[in-house]
Structure formats: C-alpha cells, structure tokens
Amino acid sequence: MESYARHFSIEPIFNKVVETAEFDHVRQFWRVRTQDFEYRSRWLIVATGENADSLIPQIQGIEQFRGPVIHTSVYKSGSEFRNQRVLVVGCGNSGMEVSLDLCRHNASPHMVIRNSVHILPREMFGISTFSVAMKLLKWLPLRLVDKFLLLVANFTLGNTERLGLRRPKTGPIELKNATGKTPVIDVGALSQIKSGKIKVMEGVREITKTGAKFMDGQEKEFDSIILATGYKSNVPIWLKDTGFFTKDGMPKTPFPDGWKGGNGLYTVGFTRRGLLGTSSDAINIAGDIAEQWRIIEGFESSCTSHILPI
C-alpha cells in the first residue's frame, strides 16, 4: 500500500474524523467537514464499508456484570486475560480467532454460538480457499462452487455439527452474497474446540453479576466478557440528505448497480461480496470519473483554443 501511494503521489491524511459530508446544490460540489478543516470536491467516494463501527447488541443484564466487557475491535492480546474464564459472544472470524488467542495465553474461553455457521479450511490443495472460490466462480455456477467447497471442508475438517457448529442450509458463497454473513476461515480454533480447550455454548439468556445463564439451562461464572458481535456501517451519522443509503447505512440499489449515486456520489465496499464486490465497485468508479475528467479536459482545451487576442 505504501509503494502504491508513492507511485501515484497519494498523500493520505490520517487522524481526521469526518463530521459531516453534504452536497452544495448552489456551487455544485461536496463539502466534507472534519474537526478542523473543510474539503471541497466535485466527487465523493464513500469507502467506509459495511464494517465501520462496532455492533453492540442488547443482552439482558450485561450492565450489572462486575468484570470488564469489551468489543473485539479494542481487543489487543490474550495476555490481558491470562488464566481467566472468558465468555466470547459470537462465533464469526473474530470470535474464533480471539478464542484461539485466549487459549495461547492459558485462558479458558467459552464461545457462544447462537446461529448456524459455515467453517472452511484456510487452504485447499495448497491454495487459499478464497482464491480457489474466486477462480471456480469464473467457470462454474455459484451453487456448484458451494457444493465443492463444502465437500472439501467436510473431508478436511470433519462433521462440525458434532461440535455444536451447525452449518446453514444455504451454501457459504450464496449466503455471503445474500446476507453479507462471511464464512469462518479456520486458522486453528477448530482443533481447540475438538480438544475441549474452547468450549461451545448455546445462546445467552441473561448476564449476571458474576457470569451468564444460557438457553440450555446452564449457568457459569466468568471473569471477563468479549463481544465478537460484528460491525455496522456508520454512513447515516455523517452523510447528509442524499437519499441513496438506507437507515442501516447500505446503498438502496443492490449489487452490481449500487456503486453510483447522484451529484458525483460513489460507494465502494458495500456489496456484501467481500473483495470481489469491492474490486467491481472500484473499477466502475475509476472508469466513470476518468471519463468525466476527459470530458472536462476536452471542454477546457476547446475553450482555450478559441480565445482570440484583442
């Protein structure tokens, strides 16, 4: 990324928070205000993505828990939880990787799995699973690719349902495209679940002062709680009066046409299709702005060439 920025003379501005961004209909440009400056531009690309802010769910009784409660967005290392009993709420990639890291620091993670989840191996035939999926999608129907991924996953990882990890009925790529729910890429957590070092728990019914009560009737004590409950878009907080985004901060127009709004507004990274969708958006946006830039340059050149001396 640094070499890319140097090559194109890109100078990112860090440690700034966008407070508002709105279109000036009189002057026909965007005003983007930070805490100490205002930027103006003909075009605005919203690239904050689907996962900009922490998603904190409402869990009954969590305010009375006596120990620390943190979101994975601020998690640094399992060393802070050494020898502790830790409740990890959520079983996505963050929940799995945090639980694995806690094991490495001699903590005892209990991971809450409320819904079904797809778990895939990190590699297939020595190639990253993501790369395999992307290559197959160029030649095969999506559902056939899903069947292949699940066949290899079951052969490599075994039957995960015996560990309390139910698979959704919809395939991993189809589910990602429809809901944005990313399959879990196993980096070692599954072996710790098999060994019993990571304990799988059903949904939380209530948080108590010293622990939690679960849907299956169990009650356990914990020293800390880590919320691996995902992220959400923050666009509605700062982007004003466009009508292009939903109240949840996602484009109203579905993929593959949700990359362009009105008045020079663009979005990238909101497709729920991972890097493949982001790449599609970026290519479309670059081409569209380049075409407009050529028109502007051509118009200015034409005006200059017809200026006559007095």
Side-chain angles (χ1 to χ4, degrees), residues 84-100:
Q84 290 190 20
R85 295 161 298 177
V86 184
L87 179 64
V88 180
V89 182
C91 63
N93 283 291
S94 294
M96 289 283 188
E97 291 179 23
V98 163
S99 296
L100 177 61

PDB file of all heavy atoms in Angstrom, residues 84-100:
ATOM      1  N   GLN A  84      -7.838 -16.446  32.946  1.00  0.00           N
ATOM      2  CA  GLN A  84      -9.212 -16.045  33.220  1.00  0.00           C
ATOM      3  C   GLN A  84     -10.219 -16.961  32.518  1.00  0.00           C
ATOM      4  O   GLN A  84      -9.909 -17.612  31.518  1.00  0.00           O
ATOM      5  CB  GLN A  84      -9.457 -14.611  32.754  1.00  0.00           C
ATOM      6  CG  GLN A  84      -8.769 -13.542  33.565  1.00  0.00           C
ATOM      7  CD  GLN A  84      -9.252 -12.145  33.182  1.00  0.00           C
ATOM      8  OE1 GLN A  84     -10.330 -11.977  32.590  1.00  0.00           O
ATOM      9  NE2 GLN A  84      -8.466 -11.137  33.530  1.00  0.00           N
ATOM     10  N   ARG A  85     -11.431 -16.985  33.055  1.00  0.00           N
ATOM     11  CA  ARG A  85     -12.567 -17.617  32.371  1.00  0.00           C
ATOM     12  C   ARG A  85     -13.252 -16.510  31.564  1.00  0.00           C
ATOM     13  O   ARG A  85     -13.753 -15.538  32.146  1.00  0.00           O
ATOM     14  CB  ARG A  85     -13.534 -18.209  33.392  1.00  0.00           C
ATOM     15  CG  ARG A  85     -12.940 -19.375  34.203  1.00  0.00           C
ATOM     16  CD  ARG A  85     -13.727 -19.604  35.466  1.00  0.00           C
ATOM     17  NE  ARG A  85     -13.673 -18.413  36.338  1.00  0.00           N
ATOM     18  CZ  ARG A  85     -14.315 -18.306  37.491  1.00  0.00           C
ATOM     19  NH1 ARG A  85     -15.068 -19.303  37.924  1.00  0.00           N
ATOM     20  NH2 ARG A  85     -14.217 -17.199  38.209  1.00  0.00           N
ATOM     21  N   VAL A  86     -13.259 -16.657  30.252  1.00  0.00           N
ATOM     22  CA  VAL A  86     -13.722 -15.577  29.375  1.00  0.00           C
ATOM     23  C   VAL A  86     -14.912 -16.046  28.546  1.00  0.00           C
ATOM     24  O   VAL A  86     -14.861 -17.103  27.907  1.00  0.00           O
ATOM     25  CB  VAL A  86     -12.600 -15.098  28.431  1.00  0.00           C
ATOM     26  CG1 VAL A  86     -13.084 -13.921  27.599  1.00  0.00           C
ATOM     27  CG2 VAL A  86     -11.347 -14.716  29.221  1.00  0.00           C
ATOM     28  N   LEU A  87     -15.972 -15.260  28.560  1.00  0.00           N
ATOM     29  CA  LEU A  87     -17.134 -15.525  27.715  1.00  0.00           C
ATOM     30  C   LEU A  87     -16.973 -14.736  26.421  1.00  0.00           C
ATOM     31  O   LEU A  87     -16.889 -13.502  26.435  1.00  0.00           O
ATOM     32  CB  LEU A  87     -18.421 -15.098  28.419  1.00  0.00           C
ATOM     33  CG  LEU A  87     -19.714 -15.304  27.620  1.00  0.00           C
ATOM     34  CD1 LEU A  87     -19.961 -16.783  27.351  1.00  0.00           C
ATOM     35  CD2 LEU A  87     -20.908 -14.684  28.354  1.00  0.00           C
ATOM     36  N   VAL A  88     -16.893 -15.441  25.298  1.00  0.00           N
ATOM     37  CA  VAL A  88     -16.785 -14.811  23.984  1.00  0.00           C
ATOM     38  C   VAL A  88     -18.139 -14.940  23.301  1.00  0.00           C
ATOM     39  O   VAL A  88     -18.578 -16.047  22.977  1.00  0.00           O
ATOM     40  CB  VAL A  88     -15.682 -15.475  23.126  1.00  0.00           C
ATOM     41  CG1 VAL A  88     -15.596 -14.793  21.755  1.00  0.00           C
ATOM     42  CG2 VAL A  88     -14.341 -15.420  23.839  1.00  0.00           C
ATOM     43  N   VAL A  89     -18.804 -13.815  23.088  1.00  0.00           N
ATOM     44  CA  VAL A  89     -20.141 -13.820  22.494  1.00  0.00           C
ATOM     45  C   VAL A  89     -20.013 -13.616  20.995  1.00  0.00           C
ATOM     46  O   VAL A  89     -19.720 -12.519  20.525  1.00  0.00           O
ATOM     47  CB  VAL A  89     -21.026 -12.722  23.118  1.00  0.00           C
ATOM     48  CG1 VAL A  89     -22.431 -12.766  22.516  1.00  0.00           C
ATOM     49  CG2 VAL A  89     -21.087 -12.882  24.628  1.00  0.00           C
ATOM     50  N   GLY A  90     -20.214 -14.685  20.223  1.00  0.00           N
ATOM     51  CA  GLY A  90     -20.096 -14.605  18.771  1.00  0.00           C
ATOM     52  C   GLY A  90     -19.109 -15.622  18.249  1.00  0.00           C
ATOM     53  O   GLY A  90     -18.075 -15.882  18.872  1.00  0.00           O
ATOM     54  N   CYS A  91     -19.422 -16.186  17.081  1.00  0.00           N
ATOM     55  CA  CYS A  91     -18.589 -17.267  16.547  1.00  0.00           C
ATOM     56  C   CYS A  91     -18.165 -17.018  15.107  1.00  0.00           C
ATOM     57  O   CYS A  91     -17.908 -17.959  14.361  1.00  0.00           O
ATOM     58  CB  CYS A  91     -19.327 -18.600  16.636  1.00  0.00           C
ATOM     59  SG  CYS A  91     -20.825 -18.638  15.625  1.00  0.00           S
ATOM     60  N   GLY A  92     -18.080 -15.731  14.715  1.00  0.00           N
ATOM     61  CA  GLY A  92     -17.554 -15.421  13.384  1.00  0.00           C
ATOM     62  C   GLY A  92     -16.042 -15.516  13.391  1.00  0.00           C
ATOM     63  O   GLY A  92     -15.436 -16.095  14.309  1.00  0.00           O
ATOM     64  N   ASN A  93     -15.411 -14.940  12.374  1.00  0.00           N
ATOM     65  CA  ASN A  93     -13.950 -14.986  12.305  1.00  0.00           C
ATOM     66  C   ASN A  93     -13.306 -14.329  13.523  1.00  0.00           C
ATOM     67  O   ASN A  93     -12.329 -14.834  14.072  1.00  0.00           O
ATOM     68  CB  ASN A  93     -13.462 -14.325  11.014  1.00  0.00           C
ATOM     69  CG  ASN A  93     -13.650 -15.224   9.805  1.00  0.00           C
ATOM     70  OD1 ASN A  93     -12.988 -16.232   9.657  1.00  0.00           O
ATOM     71  ND2 ASN A  93     -14.591 -14.862   8.936  1.00  0.00           N
ATOM     72  N   SER A  94     -13.868 -13.199  13.983  1.00  0.00           N
ATOM     73  CA  SER A  94     -13.311 -12.515  15.153  1.00  0.00           C
ATOM     74  C   SER A  94     -13.436 -13.383  16.400  1.00  0.00           C
ATOM     75  O   SER A  94     -12.479 -13.530  17.170  1.00  0.00           O
ATOM     76  CB  SER A  94     -14.024 -11.180  15.384  1.00  0.00           C
ATOM     77  OG  SER A  94     -13.774 -10.288  14.331  1.00  0.00           O
ATOM     78  N   GLY A  95     -14.615 -13.954  16.616  1.00  0.00           N
ATOM     79  CA  GLY A  95     -14.832 -14.782  17.796  1.00  0.00           C
ATOM     80  C   GLY A  95     -13.926 -15.993  17.833  1.00  0.00           C
ATOM     81  O   GLY A  95     -13.364 -16.355  18.878  1.00  0.00           O
ATOM     82  N   MET A  96     -13.761 -16.638  16.674  1.00  0.00           N
ATOM     83  CA  MET A  96     -12.895 -17.810  16.589  1.00  0.00           C
ATOM     84  C   MET A  96     -11.439 -17.453  16.857  1.00  0.00           C
ATOM     85  O   MET A  96     -10.736 -18.137  17.614  1.00  0.00           O
ATOM     86  CB  MET A  96     -13.025 -18.443  15.201  1.00  0.00           C
ATOM     87  CG  MET A  96     -14.342 -19.141  14.950  1.00  0.00           C
ATOM     88  SD  MET A  96     -14.412 -20.753  15.752  1.00  0.00           S
ATOM     89  CE  MET A  96     -15.944 -21.397  15.060  1.00  0.00           C
ATOM     90  N   GLU A  97     -10.965 -16.374  16.240  1.00  0.00           N
ATOM     91  CA  GLU A  97      -9.552 -16.016  16.369  1.00  0.00           C
ATOM     92  C   GLU A  97      -9.224 -15.497  17.768  1.00  0.00           C
ATOM     93  O   GLU A  97      -8.150 -15.773  18.304  1.00  0.00           O
ATOM     94  CB  GLU A  97      -9.176 -14.996  15.300  1.00  0.00           C
ATOM     95  CG  GLU A  97      -9.198 -15.605  13.901  1.00  0.00           C
ATOM     96  CD  GLU A  97      -8.860 -14.616  12.803  1.00  0.00           C
ATOM     97  OE1 GLU A  97      -8.205 -13.603  13.105  1.00  0.00           O
ATOM     98  OE2 GLU A  97      -9.258 -14.850  11.655  1.00  0.00           O
ATOM     99  N   VAL A  98     -10.156 -14.753  18.376  1.00  0.00           N
ATOM    100  CA  VAL A  98      -9.952 -14.296  19.750  1.00  0.00           C
ATOM    101  C   VAL A  98      -9.919 -15.497  20.701  1.00  0.00           C
ATOM    102  O   VAL A  98      -9.065 -15.576  21.593  1.00  0.00           O
ATOM    103  CB  VAL A  98     -11.061 -13.299  20.160  1.00  0.00           C
ATOM    104  CG1 VAL A  98     -11.114 -13.134  21.680  1.00  0.00           C
ATOM    105  CG2 VAL A  98     -10.824 -11.957  19.505  1.00  0.00           C
ATOM    106  N   SER A  99     -10.828 -16.436  20.505  1.00  0.00           N
ATOM    107  CA  SER A  99     -10.848 -17.634  21.360  1.00  0.00           C
ATOM    108  C   SER A  99      -9.555 -18.423  21.238  1.00  0.00           C
ATOM    109  O   SER A  99      -9.014 -18.919  22.235  1.00  0.00           O
ATOM    110  CB  SER A  99     -12.048 -18.517  20.993  1.00  0.00           C
ATOM    111  OG  SER A  99     -13.269 -17.857  21.256  1.00  0.00           O
ATOM    112  N   LEU A 100      -9.035 -18.526  20.022  1.00  0.00           N
ATOM    113  CA  LEU A 100      -7.770 -19.222  19.804  1.00  0.00           C
ATOM    114  C   LEU A 100      -6.628 -18.499  20.506  1.00  0.00           C
ATOM    115  O   LEU A 100      -5.783 -19.127  21.156  1.00  0.00           O
ATOM    116  CB  LEU A 100      -7.492 -19.319  18.301  1.00  0.00           C
ATOM    117  CG  LEU A 100      -6.169 -19.970  17.882  1.00  0.00           C
ATOM    118  CD1 LEU A 100      -6.105 -21.413  18.373  1.00  0.00           C
ATOM    119  CD2 LEU A 100      -6.004 -19.918  16.361  1.00  0.00           C
TER     120      LEU A 100
END
